[in-house]
Amino acid sequence: MSDIDDQAIFAQVGDLAVTEAPDGYIIDHSERGTVHFLNPTAVLVYESCDGKRSVGEIVALVQRTFGLEEPPAEAVKGCLADLHAQHLVLPCTP
């Protein structure tokens, strides 16, 4: 999953208990018996996984949001790979 295509689309896994915390999200994945802590950047990537936005669009959104000079493609793809490995998002078709 480390070679994520810019045109790939991801969606959040349903039935997760998401709680806002001062520094991100706490996500309880009761079906798997796991709890995940997302920092603000991971929250932005996770929230962008709406089944409509491509990875390229998410990269551009993160770049704009944080005022970055260069597109953070590798960082966003790494975050998506981690979210996918943790069963928080899944690749999908729009």
Side-chain angles (χ1 to χ4, degrees):
M1 189 51 101
S2 61
D3 294 327
I4 297 174
D5 185 87
D6 286 344
Q7 299 306 310
I9 295 175
F10 288 83
Q12 298 171 14
V13 172
D15 299 330
L16 300 177
V18 178
T19 305
E20 287 188 43
D23 57 348
Y25 278 1
I26 300 168
I27 301 179
D28 183 0
H29 198 303
S30 60
E31 184 177 305
R32 298 186 63 83
T34 57
V35 175
H36 307 276
F37 301 93
L38 275 57
N39 67 28
T41 305
V43 168
L44 178 59
V45 173
Y46 174 77
E47 286 295 329
S48 298
C49 293
D50 59 3
K52 298 175 186 169
R53 288 187 181 102
S54 70
V55 171
E57 291 171 319
I58 296 171
V59 168
L61 175 64
V62 171
Q63 182 180 9
R64 281 191 313 273
T65 300
F66 292 104
L68 304 173
E69 291 184 26
E70 298 293 322
E74 291 307 312
V76 169
K77 290 177 181 182
C79 183
L80 284 166
D82 289 345
L83 292 171
H84 181 260
Q86 296 168 7
H87 305 279
L88 301 178
V89 300
L90 295 172
C92 67
T93 54

